[in-house]
Amino acid sequence: MPGAPQVSATPLPARLRTAAARFLLPTVLAVSFAVQAVGAFLPSVPLLVASTAVGLAADIALHRWQRSMAAALGKLHATVFVRQVVRDLLMVAGLIRIEDQDYEKKYLALVCGLLVFYALHSACQALAILVRRTRTLPVVTRNIDASALRLSAAPPALLMSRSGQRLLLFGLPSAAGLVITAAGGSAWWAAAGIALSVACATVAVGMLATRLSRGRRPVTSEQALEWFEAWLAEYRPTVGMYFSGGTSSAYQANMWLEPLARLEGRPVIVLRERFMVKHIASTDIPIVCLPKVADLMRLEQSTLKTLIHPSNSGKTSQVLRIPTIKHAFVNHGESDKLSSCNPYAKAYDEVWVAGPAARERYALAAVGVDDRDVVEIGRPQLDAIEPYSGAPAGPYTTVLYAPTWEGWDGNPGNTSVVEAGENIVRALLADPRVRLLYKPHPLTGSVDPRAGAANTRIQEMIRAANAVRAAEHAAERPAPTAAAELARRTAELDALTTSSFRASADDAERMLVQTVPAPGRAAAVAAATAAWEAAYWASFPAWEHRIVVGARPNVYACFNRADLLVSDVSSVISDYLASEKPYAVANTSGLSEQDFRDTFPTVRAGVVLTPDAAGVPALLETVREPEKDPFAGARSELKQHLLGPSDPPSVVRFDEAARALCAAADGHRAGMALRALPVIPAQREAAATPDAEHARG
């Protein structure tokens, strides 16, 4: 059927192999137990020894590479503890069957030794929970000198949080001793192995028990909160960013780090989830995490005046209760989707948007946001995007395909990955002069499995195309020093962004506390990032397609390398328009092209692609021959409509908006203070005079 999306040619067995690999280790475990039971019943020494070794190896591999599957087995009550007990007891049963004389003297002691080992393992787990509770403080920080809290290094993770791995590791000596005994050795081998396992568990119990002594405990929760309030009083923050969400949403906060650091005043970042502390990118800004609402309310007595919010979350309503702080919703991106004019925005004091288009969007949506509360600030994080310079300079046209994710509402027009992604990529790969950069949204496949499967197939297509090109351009490879330079720059950047972290008292979630960074750290990170990006692009040949799924390089760095963007209706288009380069939008909504353009204004300066991607060759021609580009003038006009004027710069407007909202917070606090003053009798009499009544009127 013309225009219908093509079905992927990826063979079904490849998908089956992926599913089979997921269940391989659990299957091996189940078979090993069955074979071990048969070996113990017959009895058969080879079966008993082989099944025990295979089962133990599979269990260790499961905890090393498939922790989610290990957790799923635990929900079925087949925990690692149960598996280890069954494995050991089957070994003992097999030994009894192999040599059924004097087993009371030889093997009853072994069973008792194993029971002691299991008891010590349980005691170790109980102590780990107690130690974790004493070390979990109500506040987690980064970029703050926390030396006053006298935080000590956490016990090894093997003792604190990896109970399954601990049991398997400490149980190795006993398992080895039992196997040697079953293979014809003396029962003393089993006794020695069990004794060694008991000794390891005893040492672990002792190490954790000492952590509960009064001298080894960290500060109490109240002492930690007192320290935090003292830090607030000394630092006197004025403006900050509030963020709550899952690990995959950290990018929403990270894109505002640099603009926040440029604001006048003393910025701070307020988080709610402990795990999020380590997912915030490198920054000099102090970071505090306050998981409990009661502790969050302590900000009411601080000097903090304004908080910006890159996203909405269930916990946002909790901080909005603080009356002394003004709140501005800045969003993590703007598009024509309904999510960019969410009714929740009316809960904030102000809504900061990029340009007139967003203001119009809120007015048309009629979601209760007063136009007087909408402030146009531009997009301050787009300063690094380079402007359009004409046709591609090299032999290859670099195309960035950056589709968004499927969203929560199931609208087929949200993402092009499912219906058009493979066709778009296939058409781009068919052009020998195209170098493709594929950067899918981090949440792709999180709601619709079809999107995740299509994303996987697209990446397989790109790898296959690279293999063909590698054979054609075998002599065109970067110098060997390029890879070494990238490794050096990666190590340098990692050292600046991670090496100053140290274990904190909140090791229950393995959080991180960072001391005050050296002056100029942000500038050093920026320089190291630029050097890393240069090394990254130089590390592969110009003809090689790239799959960009990590945090580096970010989408803005990809913008600067691209000659053309292909995307969906999303904030990626609005941000890309800062460069005024050509772009195309995939239409998988089912609307006609004209209705699609009318419904989504950000599309009006770009090419619309149908799901079959038939328009890709003509699109590439307009990029290579700018005189054939019909949208050049429209892009300049749309850029101003979406992002606002270039003068004054966005960073200036962002700072002006922050200072104005801080001034409003000062006025609100002053009014609260006046209303809280007691009214003395003389004031009542003065207020009752006719002149006073006239003045009030």
Side-chain angles (χ1 to χ4, degrees):
M1 180 182 297
Q6 300 178 21
V7 179
S8 169
T10 303
L12 184 61
R15 305 179 202 176
L16 292 178
R17 284 197 298 271
T18 302
R22 182 183 178 189
F23 292 98
L24 176 61
L25 289 176
T27 302
V28 170
L29 267 177
V31 172
S32 71
F33 281 117
V35 174
Q36 192 180 20
V38 172
F41 176 77
L42 288 177
S44 171
V45 172
L47 284 180
L48 195 61
V49 171
S51 59
T52 301
V54 170
L56 191 58
D59 228 335
I60 293 174
L62 189 72
H63 280 79
R64 176 64 178 85
W65 292 296
Q66 288 187 297
R67 295 183 182 177
S68 60
M69 183 60 71
L73 290 177
K75 293 179 181 178
L76 299 175
H77 300 288
T79 63
V80 63
F81 184 83
V82 172
R83 297 196 298 271
Q84 184 70 4
V85 169
V86 171
R87 188 181 295 115
D88 287 343
L89 293 183
L90 282 174
M91 277 297 301
V92 173
L95 290 175
I96 294 174
R97 293 277 296 168
I98 292 169
E99 185 180 354
D100 57 4
Q101 53 185 353
D102 297 331
Y103 68 88
E104 296 92 345
K105 298 178 180 179
K106 288 186 177 181
Y107 300 118
L108 185 58
L110 299 183
V111 172
C112 291
L114 288 173
L115 292 176
V116 170
F117 170 64
Y118 302 145
L120 287 171
H121 168 74
S122 299
C124 188
Q125 185 64 11
L127 288 171
I129 294 173
L130 292 175
V131 172
R132 195 155 53 235
R133 287 179 179 176
T134 62
R135 296 180 61 83
T136 302
L137 299 183
V139 58
V140 187
T141 68
R142 255 178 61 187
N143 297 336
I144 299 173
D145 184 3
S147 58
L149 294 177
R150 305 186 309 278
L151 303 178
S152 60
L158 184 67
L159 303 185
M160 290 293 294
S161 57
R162 300 176 184 172
S163 60
Q165 295 182 22
R166 180 179 69 238
L167 177 62
L168 293 171
L169 181 62
F170 289 177
L172 273 177
S174 62
L178 290 170
V179 167
I180 294 174
T181 300
S186 169
W188 286 107
W189 285 105
I194 293 173
L196 184 55
S197 293
V198 169
C200 291
T202 302
V203 171
V205 168
M207 290 177 63
L208 292 175
T210 57
R211 294 290 183 142
L212 295 176
S213 63
R214 185 176 298 275
R216 298 294 300 276
R217 291 182 184 180
V219 295
T220 64
S221 295
E222 191 57 38
Q223 288 172 327
L225 290 172
E226 290 175 0
W227 166 84
F228 173 63
E229 290 183 334
W231 175 82
L232 283 175
E234 180 182 359
Y235 179 64
R236 299 184 63 79
T238 53
V239 62
M241 176 174 66
Y242 177 92
F243 188 74
S244 171
T247 54
S248 59
S249 63
Y251 74 95
Q252 299 172 355
N254 288 333
M255 68 170 57
W256 285 98
L257 294 180
E258 187 174 347
L260 182 65
R262 295 182 185 180
L263 288 180
E264 179 183 290
R266 289 172 292 279
V268 67
I269 297 172
V270 181
L271 306 176
R272 300 303 306 283
E273 290 81 20
R274 299 177 188 275
F275 61 78
M276 186 59 69
V277 176
K278 64 180 178 182
H279 291 285
I280 298 298
S282 181
T283 178
D284 289 349
I285 304 172
I287 300 174
V288 298
C289 176
L290 299 165
K292 294 183 179 179
V293 179
D295 300 332
L296 180 71
M297 293 299 117
R298 293 174 184 257
L299 295 176
E300 182 175 354
Q301 307 304 323
S302 72
T303 56
L304 189 60
K305 303 174 184 179
T306 297
L307 283 174
I308 64 171
H309 298 257
S311 68
N312 297 311
S313 72
K315 295 181 181 178
T316 300
S317 62
Q318 297 170 352
V319 75
L320 293 179
R321 301 176 190 176
I322 302 179
T324 57
I325 299 177
K326 292 291 184 180
H327 302 270
F329 181 57
V330 295
N331 212 339
H332 53 274
E334 295 180 3
S335 71
D336 293 324
K337 293 181 180 179
L338 292 177
S339 58
S340 288
C341 48
N342 193 311
Y344 195 95
K346 62 188 174 186
Y348 301 94
D349 296 289
E350 291 183 353
V351 177
W352 296 356
V353 299
R359 181 186 294 275
E360 296 170 5
R361 191 179 299 120
Y362 274 108
L364 290 173
V367 292
V369 175
D370 194 318
D371 185 69
R372 293 170 296 180
D373 296 331
V374 178
V375 180
E376 297 176 26
I377 64 166
R379 287 280 282 170
Q381 51 272 95
L382 302 183
D383 289 352
I385 296 180
E386 299 171 1
Y388 181 46
S389 58
Y396 294 96
T397 302
T398 300
V399 181
L400 171 63
Y401 179 38
T404 190
W405 67 303
E406 57 270 26
W408 300 111
D409 57 6
N411 189 327
N414 286 344
T415 179
S416 59
V417 170
V418 177
E419 295 188 17
E422 292 167 81
N423 295 329
I424 291 172
V425 170
R426 187 178 294 107
L428 291 171
L429 295 178
D431 191 313
R433 292 189 295 162
V434 164
R435 191 265 299 269
L436 174 62
L437 306 179
Y438 176 56
K439 188 171 180 61
H441 193 284
L443 295 178
T444 299
S446 60
V447 172
D448 188 346
R450 296 179 303 161
N455 178 38
T456 300
R457 293 193 296 271
I458 288 172
Q459 295 188 31
E460 290 174 353
M461 292 168 61
I462 295 172
R463 293 188 187 98
N466 272 337
V468 173
R469 281 197 173 180
E472 297 172 350
H473 302 270
E476 302 176 30
R477 302 296 303 181
T481 56
E485 175 67 6
L486 177 60
R488 186 175 73 84
R489 293 298 185 182
T490 301
E492 178 184 284
L493 186 54
D494 287 344
L496 283 171
T497 56
T498 61
S499 65
S500 60
F501 291 128
R502 61 185 177 84
S504 81
D506 199 356
D507 59 287
E509 299 290 342
R510 289 180 295 167
M511 284 299 93
L512 305 170
V513 172
Q514 189 177 12
T515 55
V516 178
R521 179 186 180 87
V525 170
T529 300
W532 181 90
E533 289 177 357
Y536 173 81
W537 298 115
S539 66
F540 56 90
W543 49 261
E544 185 175 320
H545 309 296
R546 301 298 291 179
I547 300 170
V548 185
V549 293
R552 303 175 193 155
N554 62 28
V555 70
Y556 300 138
C558 294
F559 284 175
N560 290 335
R561 288 285 165 170
D563 301 304
L564 166 69
L565 168 71
V566 178
S567 188
D568 305 323
V569 176
S570 70
S571 61
V572 171
I573 295 175
S574 302
D575 288 351
Y576 188 77
L577 269 168
S579 69
E580 298 188 28
K581 295 178 183 179
Y583 70 94
V585 186
N587 178 12
T588 57
S589 65
L591 300 173
S592 67
E593 179 175 335
Q594 189 57 51
D595 288 343
F596 188 62
R597 291 184 182 276
D598 292 341
T599 305
F600 304 109
T602 54
V603 180
R604 69 178 185 225
V607 173
V608 175
L609 294 177
T610 53
D612 62 1
V616 167
L619 170 64
L620 292 171
E621 183 179 356
T622 63
V623 175
R624 291 163 180 156
E625 301 178 42
E627 64 274 8
K628 296 182 179 180
D629 182 1
F631 297 108
R635 286 198 299 273
S636 178
E637 178 187 346
L638 183 59
K639 170 188 173 182
Q640 183 159 343
H641 187 59
L642 292 176
L643 303 177
S646 300
D647 189 30
S650 180
V651 291
V652 174
R653 287 183 283 155
F654 182 49
D655 187 66
E656 289 175 349
R659 285 191 282 110
L661 197 55
C662 285
D666 286 336
H668 181 67
R669 291 188 184 202
M672 291 176 62
L674 285 175
R675 289 190 294 272
L677 289 176
V679 180
I680 60 176
Q683 290 175 320
R684 291 197 188 99
E685 293 176 4
T689 62
D691 289 341
E693 291 290 342
H694 178 72
R696 285 198 297 272

